C-alpha cells in the first residue's frame, strides 16, 4: 500500500522499499505501464519553473523519496519515510528481471559505460535477457522510441539525466504495453564501475550526496543553493500545515 502526499505542491509516495517493489511486480503481472520517479530536491525546484516537467511528476505512477532532502522535508511534516535510493532500486529491478526472465532495456550514459555495463550484467546473471541497449547520444528521438517499442521490454532503465529521462519515459508510456520505466540518472556509471559509490556509512547517514560533491566538485553548483532553498521552503511549508 502507498499513500501519496504533497510536498511543496508535488507528489511523493509514502511507501516502504519492499512495498514499492511489490507495487512494481503487481504492475508487471497485470501488464500495466509504470513510470517511476526517484524524486529529489533538484527535481522539485526544476518542476516549479517547468510546467511540462511538473505535469510529468503529477502523472507518474510511483514517486519515491530518493534524496535525503526529501526525507528531511517529509520529517518536517511528521512523516518518517524510508529513503529509496534510485541506484539500489534500479539494481533490484535488474535482479528481478534476471530471476524472472523478463526483457530488460538499457538507455543512456556514454558508449563505453553502456557496453561495459551490458558485459558485466551478462557475466553476473547468466539468464539475463537484455533486449535493447544504447548510449545516451542519439539524433532522432522518434527513431529511438520506435526501436525501444520494437524490443518489447518489460523494464526500461533510462540514464539520460533529469528531466530529459522523465520526458522520454512519459512519451514511451503512450507507445508501450506492460513496461516499468525508471529514470536512473548516473547509476549506469556506478554499475559499470566508472564511478565509485559512497561507502556504506555515508549512505546510512544520508550523506551520499556530500560524498559525490567531494569526489566531483562540479556537482556543487547543481546542489547549492538548490538544497538550502528547498529545505527553507520545506520549513515554511511545514508551518502552514
Amino acid at each position: 500500500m502507498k499513500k501519496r502526499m504533497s510536498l511543496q505542491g508535488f507528489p511523493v509516495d509514502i511507501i516502504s522499499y519492499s512495498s514499492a517493489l511489490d507495487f512494481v511486480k503487481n504492475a508487471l503481472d497485470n501488464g500495466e505501464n509504470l513510470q517511476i520517479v526517484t524524486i529529489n530536491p533538484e527535481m522539485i525546484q526544476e518542476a516549479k519553473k517547468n510546467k511540462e516537467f511538473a505535469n510529468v511528476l503529477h502523472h507518474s505512477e510511483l514517486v519515491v523519496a530518493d534524496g535525503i532532502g526529501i526525507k528531511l522535508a517529509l520529517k518536517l511534516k511528521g512523516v518518517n519515510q524510508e529513503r529509496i535510493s534510485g541506484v539500489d532500486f534500479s539494481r533490484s529491478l535488474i535482479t528481478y528481471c534476471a530471476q524472472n526472465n523478463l526483457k530488460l532495456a538499457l538507455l543512456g550514459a556514454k558508449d563505453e559505460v553502456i557496453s561495459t555495463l551490458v558485459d558485466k550484467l551478462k557475466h553476473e546473471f547468466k539468464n539475463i535477457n537484455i533486449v535493447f541497449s544504447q548510449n545516451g547520444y542519439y539524433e532522432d528521438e522518434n527513431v529511438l522510441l520506435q526501436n525501444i517499442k520494437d524490443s518489447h521490454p518489460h523494464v526500461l532503465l533510462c540514464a539520460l539525466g533529469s528531466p530529459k529521462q522523465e520526458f522520454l519515459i512519459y512519451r514511451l508510456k503512450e507507445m508501450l504495453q506492460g513496461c516499468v520505466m525508471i529514470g536512473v540518472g548516473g547509476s549506469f556509471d556506478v554499475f559499470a564501475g566508472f564511478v565509485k559509490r559512497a561507502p556504506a556509512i555515508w549512505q546510512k547517514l544520508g550523506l551520499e550526496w556530500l560524498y559525490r560533491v567531494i569526489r566531483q566538485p562540479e556537482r556543487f553548483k547543481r546542489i547549492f543553493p538548490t538544497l538550502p532553498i528547498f529545505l527553507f521552503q520545506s520549513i515554511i511549508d511545514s508551518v502552514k500545515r
Side-chain angles (χ1 to χ4, degrees):
M1 293 293 292
K2 70 182 179 74
K3 175 185 177 183
R4 179 153 288 192
M5 286 190 63
S6 176
L7 194 60
Q8 297 187 30
F10 298 97
V12 181
D13 290 318
I14 308 306
I15 191 170
S16 68
Y17 192 104
S18 60
S19 293
L21 279 178
D22 288 340
F23 188 81
V24 168
K25 294 172 186 177
N26 185 65
L28 289 168
D29 289 342
N30 293 324
E32 300 171 356
N33 284 340
L34 185 68
Q35 178 166 11
I36 305 171
V37 172
T38 57
I39 201 162
N40 58 38
E42 298 99 300
M43 294 170 76
I44 286 182
Q45 296 303 97
E46 173 63 25
K48 291 176 181 178
K49 302 177 292 183
N50 187 330
K51 290 184 178 180
E52 291 184 356
F53 186 45
N55 181 64
V56 171
L57 294 185
H58 283 295
H59 287 88
S60 296
E61 288 73 22
L62 184 61
V63 182
V64 298
D66 185 347
I68 185 63
I70 301 295
K71 180 178 173 66
L72 291 174
L74 290 171
K75 190 74 171 178
L76 289 170
K77 286 179 169 286
V79 178
N80 187 22
Q81 168 60 34
E82 175 183 357
R83 178 173 173 254
I84 301 178
S85 161
V87 174
D88 293 326
F89 200 74
S90 54
R91 180 68 183 180
S92 294
L93 294 180
I94 292 172
T95 302
Y96 187 72
C97 284
Q99 292 173 342
N100 295 273
N101 193 32
L102 299 179
K103 292 179 283 189
L104 175 65
L106 304 169
L107 171 66
K110 296 179 180 178
D111 192 57
E112 60 179 345
V113 173
I114 192 73
S115 60
T116 300
L117 174 58
V118 169
D119 289 341
K120 282 197 169 192
L121 292 178
K122 288 182 176 179
H123 182 265
E124 183 177 354
F125 302 102
K126 292 182 180 180
N127 297 321
I128 197 162
N129 185 11
I130 300 175
V131 294
F132 178 90
S133 64
Q134 182 178 310
N135 64 46
Y137 303 90
Y138 51 88
E139 295 182 0
D140 192 323
E141 183 171 284
N142 290 324
V143 171
L144 170 70
L145 296 179
Q146 186 61 49
N147 288 339
I148 294 174
K149 179 182 178 181
D150 291 343
S151 71
H152 303 289
H154 293 108
V155 173
L156 167 69
L157 305 187
C158 187
L160 298 176
S162 185
K164 185 177 181 179
Q165 60 195 16
E166 282 77 30
F167 282 129
L168 187 136
I169 289 172
Y170 189 70
R171 285 195 66 189
L172 276 171
K173 279 202 294 185
E174 299 299 318
M175 302 176 65
L176 302 181
Q177 181 62 46
C179 186
V180 169
M181 295 163 276
I182 180 172
V184 298
S187 296
F188 286 1
D189 297 89
V190 176
F191 295 154
F194 285 77
V195 172
K196 183 180 178 182
R197 195 176 179 190
I201 185 63
W202 289 68
Q203 297 177 40
K204 187 175 181 180
L205 293 173
L207 295 174
E208 194 167 2
W209 63 272
L210 180 58
Y211 181 86
R212 291 200 297 266
V213 169
I214 293 172
R215 300 274 298 189
Q216 300 171 288
E218 65 273 13
R219 295 176 65 94
F220 184 87
K221 289 183 180 180
R222 197 183 86 182
I223 295 178
F224 294 96
T226 300
L227 183 57
I229 290 173
F230 171 80
L231 291 175
F232 177 72
Q233 292 172 337
S234 295
I235 293 172
I236 295 175
D237 191 38
S238 66
V239 171
K240 291 179 180 178
R241 68 185 176 93

